Amino acid sequence: MYSLPDAAWRTSSYTQQQNCVEVADTPGVTGVRDTKNRDLGALAFPSAEWCALVEAARRGLL
């Protein structure tokens, strides 16, 4: 798990009222964390891999 203390976190638009997932973009890394358990840290993905995952999801490939 990573700690991204200076990251600007945003809530996923797909979680609506539940606020389950937050995402933060930092240089070269995209962080993902559980809104309800922020103290557990975050998963960190190379930004290119995160973009590929999001694009695959948009295309319905997942």
Side-chain angles (χ1 to χ4, degrees):
M1 292 291 184
Y2 284 83
S3 174
L4 302 167
D6 297 329
W9 293 92
R10 67 184 183 281
T11 303
S12 169
S13 61
Y14 291 100
T15 62
Q16 299 174 359
Q17 298 286 335
Q18 298 167 4
N19 297 332
C20 297
V21 178
E22 293 179 322
V23 177
D25 295 312
T26 62
V29 175
T30 299
V32 181
R33 70 180 181 186
D34 182 344
T35 302
K36 297 176 185 174
N37 294 297
R38 292 177 178 141
D39 293 339
L40 295 177
L43 297 174
F45 299 91
S47 295
E49 290 183 18
W50 180 254
C51 289
L53 173 70
V54 170
E55 183 60 27
R58 282 186 185 140
R59 292 180 181 205
L61 301 174
L62 300 177

